[in-house]
Amino acid sequence: MPAVERPVIRLIANHLPPYMIISKTEKGSSYAGFEHDLTQILAKTLGVTYDYYECDWSACMRALRDGNVDMAHSLLYSSTRAAFLEFVPPAYLKDVHSTVFYQRYDDKRVIDEFKDLQQDNFVIGYVGSTVYFEKFEQADNLLKMDVKNRETGIELLIAGRIDVLAGFDTLFDGVEFKSPHLKRIMKKSIYQPSTVLESFTVISKASPLFEHREDISSALQELSDNGVLTKISEKWIPKSNIIQ
C-alpha cells in the first residue's frame, strides 16, 4: 500500500461487544473482539500501523465526518452516512436489527405498533448517527431527543426526562440487561420492527486514507477470498450473521 499522509491509520474504538471489547487496565486500555482482530490482520496485510480513538457513538461519527479519524469497521449502510463515509466493499456481516423501544416498567402506555409512538408528549430518546429503521428515522411527527449514548439514555429514561428509549435487543440484552436492577425498572415494547442490513469497513471522505480506498477494498477482498474474514467472524459473531 502506498504511503499515506498520516503515517498511522487511526480507527474509532467504541465499546460494543462482541464487535469491540475495551477493557481498562493499570497500563491503559486493552482491546479484543471482531473489529480488533480484523484491524490487526488488515494492518499487517497493508503494511501499515494503527491507533485507536476511543469515543462514544455520537463522538465517533463526528470524528469520522470531520476526518479526525480515518476508518471504522462494522458500520451499517445508510444514505446519511454515505454522505461523509466511503463504504468499502465487500460487505462481510449482515445484522438482523430488531429495534426495541424501552419504557419504564411502571409506564402503562402500550407500544404495539408504529402509530403508538405518536402519543401526545411522548418523548423518544435515540442515539444520534445510529441506524434504526427507515420509517422511524424519516418520521418528522415524532418528538425525538438525541442522547449522547445508551448509558445516558437509560439515565434519562429512569429519571423521567424521556418516555421511551430506542435501542436494540442484541445490545441491551448483552450489556445493560445483565443487570437485574435494570430489568425491574425497564421493559421492552411489544412493537419491535426488524430489518436486515449489511456491515462494511468505512473510510472518512475527509481523511487522506480516502485516496487509498481501492487498496483497502482489494485487501479486504483478499481476506474474504482466502477465508480469513470468515474465520475472524466465526470467532466472535453468530454464524447466521456472516455473509458467505
Side-chain angles (χ1 to χ4, degrees), residues 26-160:
E26 293 180 356
K27 296 182 179 181
S29 297
S30 64
Y31 305 95
F34 168 76
E35 294 178 10
H36 180 60
D37 284 3
L38 176 56
T39 295
Q40 289 183 304
I41 292 176
L42 185 61
K44 184 177 180 179
T45 302
L46 294 170
V48 299
T49 57
Y50 66 90
D51 192 15
Y52 285 128
Y53 174 78
E54 293 185 25
C55 47
D56 62 54
W57 196 242
S58 294
C60 286
M61 291 299 101
R62 288 195 300 271
L64 283 166
R65 182 193 61 206
D66 298 338
N68 294 327
V69 293
D70 305 298
M71 183 190 292
H73 297 304
S74 310
L75 260 68
L76 300 174
Y77 178 86
S78 76
S79 57
T80 300
R81 291 177 174 180
F84 61 92
L85 296 175
E86 178 76 7
F87 285 79
V88 182
Y92 41 76
L93 296 174
K94 55 184 178 182
D95 288 299
V96 181
H97 274 272
S98 293
T99 300
V100 178
F101 295 95
Y102 294 86
Q103 298 172 267
R104 290 183 302 280
Y105 207 84
D106 59 359
D107 191 340
K108 303 302 182 184
R109 292 172 292 184
V110 176
I111 305 173
D112 58 10
E113 54 184 323
F114 185 82
K115 70 177 184 179
D116 293 332
L117 295 171
Q118 302 169 1
Q119 299 181 52
D120 292 341
N121 301 317
F122 216 51
V123 182
I124 305 169
Y126 73 103
V127 179
S129 302
T130 296
V131 175
Y132 294 97
F133 61 99
E134 187 174 2
K135 189 174 183 179
F136 173 72
E137 293 168 2
Q138 295 185 353
D140 55 9
N141 58 344
L142 298 178
L143 187 54
K144 305 176 191 176
M145 178 187 292
D146 189 346
V147 300
K148 181 180 180 181
N149 50 44
R150 63 181 182 270
E151 292 81 9
T152 300
I154 290 172
E155 292 174 1
L156 292 173
L157 181 65
I158 292 173

